[in-house]
Amino acid sequence: MLRDSTNVSFFATAKPQKTKKMKRKEDTLTRVEFQVMSIIWELGGSVCAWDVIERMPEPKPAYTTVATYLKVLYEKGYLDFHKEKGQGKTHRYVPLITRAQYTRRTMQEVKHDFFGGNVRSMLHYFVSEEQLSPAEVEEVLLMIRGEGGEV
């Protein structure tokens, strides 16, 4: 079999193309990222890594681990940060999205991805799979009718 020397030289001299890094799905939080955001939402206002660590379960993660999660949450657009005078290098983080906004967006995705956007299918799933008691079913019906309280 004859080799085409032009193809050989092309592959031998071709420079690898730079590929774009795969962008993270910005609206998705990992389990630990959600845990960190939950702590920030509970605290309200601006928090530092030590505030988060203090409220994490044992065994406590290292400062650098929490700082990395905070940086990732900043890059995903969930947090902003600032430095306060007299605090050295300490970053103070503030949420850019509320828990309610995140829940709404996530539930919209669940409805779309798992139930084809059909609320009825989603409700049917939760009513049948969660084995609701008659009292819980009645509560759901009251909410649907606009007569019930908040969840």
Side-chain angles (χ1 to χ4, degrees):
M1 182 172 176
L2 293 175
R3 288 187 174 219
D4 182 356
S5 62
T6 57
N7 284 342
V8 172
S9 64
F10 169 78
F11 287 113
T13 60
K15 293 180 183 176
Q17 291 183 350
K18 290 184 181 179
T19 57
K20 288 185 179 180
K21 286 187 178 179
M22 202 167 136
K23 187 176 179 184
R24 293 181 185 194
K25 189 173 179 186
E26 301 227 358
D27 56 353
T28 302
L29 292 177
T30 66
R31 184 176 45 83
V32 177
E33 290 168 353
F34 182 77
Q35 183 181 27
V36 170
M37 283 302 298
S38 292
I39 291 169
I40 293 169
W41 286 323
E42 286 173 21
L43 292 172
S46 76
V47 300
C48 69
W50 290 113
D51 297 326
V52 174
I53 293 168
E54 185 178 289
R55 285 161 181 82
M56 297 284 284
E58 294 291 342
K60 304 279 188 194
Y63 177 89
T64 53
T65 301
V66 173
T68 298
Y69 278 114
L70 292 168
K71 180 182 176 194
V72 168
L73 289 165
Y74 167 76
E75 289 170 355
K76 284 185 169 186
Y78 284 96
L79 298 175
D80 199 0
F81 72 89
H82 62 277
K83 294 181 183 181
E84 292 180 358
K85 284 192 174 192
Q87 296 293 318
K89 296 180 181 180
T90 303
H91 289 91
R92 306 289 302 180
Y93 292 88
V94 292
L96 295 176
I97 183 172
T98 66
R99 180 188 291 270
Q101 290 169 322
Y102 180 74
T103 301
R104 186 176 306 110
R105 184 168 56 194
T106 302
M107 291 309 295
Q108 289 293 330
E109 288 176 6
V110 167
K111 182 179 76 174
H112 178 268
D113 294 345
F114 292 95
F115 303 101
N118 188 313
V119 174
R120 185 175 177 188
S121 294
M122 189 167 84
L123 284 173
H124 181 270
Y125 172 83
F126 285 111
V127 169
S128 62
E129 291 296 319
E130 294 300 316
Q131 301 173 355
L132 299 178
S133 70
E136 291 170 320
V137 170
E138 185 60 34
E139 189 177 338
V140 170
L141 291 172
L142 287 172
M143 284 189 292
I144 291 170
R145 291 183 191 124
E147 302 168 14
E150 294 194 22
V151 179

